[in-house]
Amino acid sequence: GDLCPSTVFIGNENNEDGPSLALGQRPTKMSSTSAQAFGALLATTSKRIRFSVPLVKNIYIGALSCLVKFNTDPRGPWVGQYLNTALLYMNHYGINPPYNFSGLALNLEGVVTDTYAKWCAQAITEVMTSFKITGPKIVSEWGLQSSTIATLQTNITAIHTAFATYFDILFMYAHSTENPISKDGY
């Protein structure tokens, strides 16, 4: 009805256990799935939403964690290769473009430089092009630790400008952790 969202994301940080998680293996982190299971999740869930909830206009691939603090290679095993494995798995089982979902999203908490934002956007553009995925490039989670802002005198405008230059949709926010006033909070 009127409260139906127009946009949904399928999955969030399914890659947290990384490329070593095999199909059928129990993950150590709650949201983690193997790349193949993520592909199956995308295929089946997007199909069900597309055909049973017509008020949902945008079905986006849920964000993968891309850890800025470790300078994660967005083309490497945690992001680009994980997505390639997921999408090839879908293709192997007959789910091919045009898909029932669109876009690609990353979670990029931390101090993101222009160079890193560009690198990440280029990497997901390559995946989108290879698999004919349409839609936006999305930063679906971003925040800074309170201690980072205070210690580094971080220029949030520069981070926002980098995101706005290379991505289409941005969720700029700060979220509370278990202790919101903690210097380790966001």
Side-chain angles (χ1 to χ4, degrees):
D2 293 342
L3 298 178
C4 182
S6 63
T7 301
V8 296
F9 285 84
I10 299 174
N12 184 48
E13 296 186 342
N14 289 76
N15 66 328
E16 279 196 333
D17 276 334
S20 62
L21 187 61
L23 187 60
Q25 183 181 356
R26 184 183 177 105
T28 60
K29 297 184 180 174
M30 292 287 283
S31 66
S32 294
T33 60
S34 69
Q36 297 88 341
F38 184 58
L41 174 71
L42 290 173
T44 58
T45 305
S46 64
K47 181 179 178 182
R48 288 176 183 159
I49 293 169
R50 178 69 60 221
F51 293 104
S52 63
V53 191
L55 292 175
V56 174
K57 303 299 179 209
N58 304 304
I59 303 171
Y60 294 138
I61 295 178
L64 297 183
S65 179
C66 190
L67 296 174
V68 176
K69 67 182 176 182
F70 297 130
N71 203 30
T72 299
D73 179 352
R75 290 182 176 99
W78 289 84
V79 180
Q81 291 172 20
Y82 181 91
L83 284 168
N84 275 291
T85 300
L87 295 163
L88 287 170
Y89 184 82
M90 287 174 36
N91 293 167
H92 177 77
Y93 286 98
I95 308 299
N96 297 296
Y99 300 113
N100 288 309
F101 54 81
S102 62
L104 278 179
L106 296 177
N107 292 343
L108 295 162
E109 278 94 6
V111 178
V112 180
T113 64
D114 183 85
T115 301
Y116 195 73
K118 182 178 181 180
W119 187 29
C120 290
Q122 288 172 336
I124 63 173
T125 297
E126 290 167 7
V127 173
M128 291 175 76
T129 301
S130 294
F131 289 93
K132 299 181 175 93
I133 297 172
T134 60
K137 294 183 295 293
I138 304 165
V139 175
S140 51
E141 284 186 23
W142 178 79
L144 284 175
Q145 274 188 312
S146 299
S147 59
T148 302
I149 294 171
T151 307
L152 300 178
Q153 297 297 307
T154 303
N155 183 345
I156 295 173
T157 301
I159 295 169
H160 181 269
T161 300
F163 283 152
T165 301
Y166 304 110
F167 291 87
D168 305 305
I169 297 175
L170 314 171
F171 291 96
M172 310 296 281
Y173 74 97
H175 58 86
S176 297
T177 56
E178 292 176 18
N179 182 357
I181 61 170
S182 164
K183 69 177 183 169
D184 294 326
Y186 279 73

